[in-house]
Amino acid sequence: MHASLHVSSSLLISFLLVLARMVGVFVFVPMPFKDAGPSLTRTALALGCTLALYARWPVLNLGTVSITTLLALIVPDAVMGASIGLLVSFLSEAFTLGAQSLALQAGYGYASVVDPTTQADSDVLAVLAQLLAGLLFFTAGLHRKLIQLFAESLSSYPPGTFALTQNLAKEVIHVGAGIFSFGLRLALPIIGLLLMTEVTLALLGRINAQLHVGQHAFPVKMMVTLLVLSSILTVTPHLYGAYADEVIRLLQRMFVR
């Protein structure tokens, strides 16, 4: 006797809706992969998490579904998942922005390395900040919180019931604007210290013209930057955790009822 495998259309549509939401999350969530955009690894992780959340899949009784209806159901869920992933990616972008604003003042803007996520030349401090943010993402357990929040969102907003509103766009824009203030707050104390160092070297050169301190300005600023950065590494996890808690609370308020 041959067993037949039957998959109902409602189960298949439920799978596609959950997968669309999950893929939207993994497109933007920072991962230590070779490619920054969608890749086979991200797709496999999205598929695995979708199957792991089978118990949370919605029960749909739609009957015959056309392509237009299916797209109308998938697009809001994909936008919802992309919004979650985009808000989480702002955590690493804030650190990267702070490092980029510091690199030129510290003299590291002239040194570039290959960014492992985009395979493009980037400032060395920006790459280090991005890698540090990726490590803190897993160290702080945000991957577990994100999967838990996603599972709760399936209960609060079952696939096919989420509606796109202006409030969603406003919240994403508001949090996106916050990365500039957060990144500058991280970099401005060091930039101020470098400015004081440069003024001090200029005064020494003015007082004694025989001291050629101008040519030593870059090495001194680079050394001061390394010393300060090594000293603030102890508080970096706390800063990242505080910003991450703010983003998680916002996600819970928006997508969990």
Side-chain angles (χ1 to χ4, degrees), residues 70-81:
L70 184 60
L71 289 176
L73 294 174
I74 288 180
V75 169
D77 285 293
V79 173
M80 178 181 179

Side-chain angles (χ1 to χ4, degrees), residues 104-153:
L104 183 61
Q105 302 296 328
Y108 289 98
Y110 299 97
S112 62
V113 295
V114 177
D115 190 342
T117 59
T118 61
Q119 300 301 305
D121 290 339
S122 301
D123 295 338
V124 60
L125 284 184
V127 175
L128 290 177
Q130 190 172 11
L131 294 176
L132 177 61
L135 291 175
L136 291 176
F137 176 79
F138 293 99
T139 304
L142 292 183
H143 57 292
R144 297 192 300 269
K145 294 181 181 179
L146 188 61
I147 294 176
Q148 181 181 1
L149 185 143
F150 186 89
E152 293 175 353
S153 70

